[in-house]
Amino acid sequence: MPRWRIRARVPVALAAAGLFLSGCANPSTGSADDDPTKPVTLKFWHGWSAPSEVEAINESIDRFEKLHPNITVKATENVTDATINQALRAGGGESPDVVVSFTTNNVGQYCDSGMWVDLDPFMKKTGLDKKKTFPKTLLDYTSYEGTQCALPLLADAFGMYYNKDAFEEAGIARPPRTMSEFKKAAAKLTVRRGKDSYERVGFMPNFRLYQNSPDRLFAQWGPRYFDAEGKSRLADDPKTYDYFKTTNELIDAQGGYADLEKFRATFGDEMSSQNAFLTGKLAMHLDGEWRGLMLKDAKAKFDWGVAPLPVPDDQADTYGRGFVTGTVAGIAHSSRHQNAAWELVRFLTADTDQVVDFANAIHNVPSTYAALKSPRLDADPRFRTFFRILENEHSRAMPPSTNGGAYIVSLGDFAYSVEAGREKDLRKGLRELDDQIDADNVQAEN
């Protein structure tokens, strides 16, 4: 499942301490003077919680310990970023050595604050060439202003699931590749039921649906969120206006926002057997690679396929791109065993066999060039579509920011107003959005 949706418990002591990322005393400093060949126990915190996922990460640890018999890994599962932040701010002997986050949004904070150590010295010391090991997009979302404080540990790529039976019924030969084709296909696949309801919608563009947060589809335009000085530039980018124009046209082509929202209210939970794509209420659907395994497990009653999401007509040559994110791994600044911790991080993120085995086990996209080319990977062509999206040079991840994902939340709130028709002056609204994002960034830096 998409890992950012997994709930996690917060240790009572840490929650009571009220130690958050900002406004806290400098934490204790760790050490990179340890000998990684000496006996040591590492504390490893991660967020996986589903039994199959926990089993897969425990098997990964077993493989690591066989290669490094002097290192014992004590794993703690189901840990949130909030808990990690609190522990690293508090420091002390109970804080972790190696940490895994399920969101790239906080990388900017981790790097900028020094809470996660710079990994470049460790890579240089052990001969790991990051540019030859990891795709550039993944390196971009694991660094901030030149500091590589994390490395990718599997990835998530977003594409378009489509109902092949519905396509055949509508006489559509292949998935749409451009936004103009997308709008036509969505309208053709939409089946009304009465005046203001539906049997099926071609594509639900509304931003509150499941994984439809506005940054996901916006990636198809290749936006640049910030200028060279770090200022928000959404109001200055023509792509922003074309994006909102296109999403509004998708809404209008299928009956309007009010009717679509009414229909969306009938959808079941995203992770349940009543998921709207699984039940046939959606003919096309934006989602990540994990959905394929869930469709197989649920024995979907229709033939389905996967394709990249369409791109703007004037960027047709970028077709194949998509939104990319993923899990990231790093070393806590307070760890006194940073060299041993690096051995674990290097194994989990850069050992080809390990990355392949883990990707197959939890059905996520491999995060190294070598693993992506491995013949041992799951051969399902639908799953491999996401590999190609990840490797596409035009694919985009959200740029790290010093205040985490606050600007993404602000964009989302603005997008809700646009789609509902409450934002009458788009240019004015975007300029106000830029001002808000800039003000939030300044506040985070002070």
Side-chain angles (χ1 to χ4, degrees):
M1 66 176 66
R3 297 176 299 281
W4 53 86
R5 290 186 175 272
I6 299 173
R7 294 183 179 178
R9 57 181 179 274
V10 178
V12 175
L14 291 176
L19 299 168
F20 295 97
L21 189 58
S22 60
C24 193
N26 290 332
S28 58
T29 301
S31 170
D33 296 328
D34 61 303
D35 183 347
T37 66
K38 300 295 184 182
V40 65
T41 296
L42 295 177
K43 292 182 287 296
F44 172 45
W45 286 12
H46 65 81
W48 287 287
S49 62
S52 60
E53 295 172 331
V54 173
E55 180 182 2
I57 196 64
N58 287 341
E59 289 174 349
S60 300
I61 291 171
D62 290 342
R63 291 191 288 269
F64 172 77
E65 290 179 336
K66 287 180 181 178
L67 291 174
H68 300 269
N70 62 299
I71 302 177
T72 300
V73 179
K74 181 181 178 183
T76 301
E77 65 192 62
N78 204 17
V79 184
T80 64
D81 275 42
T83 301
I84 292 170
N85 294 344
Q86 293 163 9
L88 297 188
R89 282 292 178 181
E94 296 306 312
S95 59
D97 298 288
V98 175
V99 284
V100 167
S101 172
F102 286 164
T103 174
T104 63
N105 295 348
N106 292 328
V107 169
Q109 290 178 320
Y110 295 145
C111 293
D112 195 42
S113 67
M115 289 208 319
W116 289 22
V117 303
D118 186 358
L119 298 179
D120 276 322
F122 295 92
M123 287 186 273
K124 182 177 181 180
K125 184 163 49 177
T126 55
L128 177 62
D129 188 331
K130 64 182 181 182
K131 292 183 179 179
K132 292 182 179 179
T133 304
F134 306 102
K136 182 181 182 300
T137 303
L138 277 60
L139 288 176
D140 288 345
Y141 71 57
T142 50
S143 64
Y144 181 70
E145 294 187 346
T147 300
Q148 190 78 49
C149 72
L151 287 178
L153 175 54
L154 302 189
D156 292 313
F158 287 75
M160 187 182 75
Y161 288 82
Y162 64 100
N163 184 324
K164 288 186 174 182
D165 294 347
F167 268 59
E168 183 177 354
E169 174 189 313
I172 301 174
R174 60 165 175 78
R177 296 174 182 171
T178 64
M179 289 298 163
S180 59
E181 291 180 354
F182 196 23
K183 286 178 279 189
K184 290 177 183 177
K188 200 169 186 179
L189 289 160
T190 296
V191 179
R192 281 282 197 172
R193 176 190 292 163
K195 181 180 178 182
D196 58 358
S197 190
Y198 305 85
E199 291 183 14
R200 181 181 70 217
V201 163
F203 175 81
M204 176 67 75
N206 298 30
F207 295 127
R208 296 181 189 273
L209 172 70
Y210 302 160
Q211 297 295 320
N212 273 24
S213 62
D215 48 298
R216 307 283 160 78
L217 186 58
F218 198 16
Q220 301 308 106
W221 275 257
R224 187 161 65 90
Y225 285 85
F226 301 101
D227 64 20
E229 285 72 45
K231 299 290 187 181
S232 181
R233 60 179 303 277
L234 291 169
D236 296 326
D237 193 341
K239 295 174 182 177
T240 310
Y241 299 92
D242 187 52
Y243 166 62
F244 282 115
K245 177 175 179 287
T246 299
T247 54
N248 281 337
E249 288 173 348
L250 276 166
I251 289 172
D252 292 342
Q254 297 172 97
Y257 176 75
D259 286 359
L260 289 174
E261 275 293 276
K262 182 178 178 181
F263 188 51
R264 187 179 68 84
T266 69
F267 294 175
D269 183 79
E270 177 183 2
M271 298 300 161
S272 75
S273 61
Q274 295 305 303
N275 174 281
F277 182 72
L278 177 61
T279 56
K281 291 183 175 182
L282 298 175
M284 298 181 288
H285 182 49
L286 182 162
D287 218 330
E289 76 284 342
W290 61 84
R291 179 61 54 193
L293 184 60
M294 300 178 80
L295 289 169
K296 287 182 183 178
D297 289 345
K299 295 180 174 58
K301 296 179 180 179
F302 54 88
D303 191 13
W304 56 274
V306 182
L309 284 156
V311 296
D313 289 45
D314 62 355
Q315 299 186 60
D317 60 335
T318 68
Y319 178 70
R321 77 192 317 172
F323 179 80
V324 176
T325 186
T327 303
V328 299
I331 299 172
H333 67 90
S334 54
S335 171
R336 297 187 180 277
H337 315 289
Q338 291 177 11
N339 288 312
W342 166 245
E343 293 301 324
L344 177 57
V345 169
R346 179 168 62 153
F347 173 77
L348 291 174
T349 62
D351 182 283
T352 302
D353 287 343
Q354 161 58 24
V355 173
V356 170
D357 289 343
F358 196 35
N360 284 341
I362 69 171
H363 209 71
N364 282 172
V365 178
S367 43
T368 68
Y369 286 123
L372 284 163
K373 293 177 174 60
S374 173
R376 295 175 52 241
L377 274 174
D378 187 331
D380 185 335
R382 294 175 294 195
F383 183 38
R384 287 178 173 263
T385 298
F386 295 100
F387 302 177
R388 294 190 291 275
I389 292 172
L390 177 69
E391 293 182 285
N392 186 288
E393 63 177 332
H394 301 289
S395 290
R396 290 288 185 272
M398 296 303 289
S401 170
T402 189
N403 73 340
Y407 75 97
I408 304 173
V409 175
S410 297
L411 172 63
D413 291 341
F414 178 77
Y416 299 150
S417 294
V418 172
E419 69 177 1
R422 294 192 297 271
E423 201 64 51
K424 304 302 182 182
D425 188 333
L426 186 58
R427 185 172 297 277
K428 179 183 177 183
L430 284 169
R431 294 206 178 280
E432 291 174 351
L433 174 61
D434 282 339
D435 290 342
Q436 177 186 339
I437 291 172
D438 290 341
D440 290 343
N441 284 340
V442 169
Q443 183 177 2
E445 291 171 354
N446 293 332

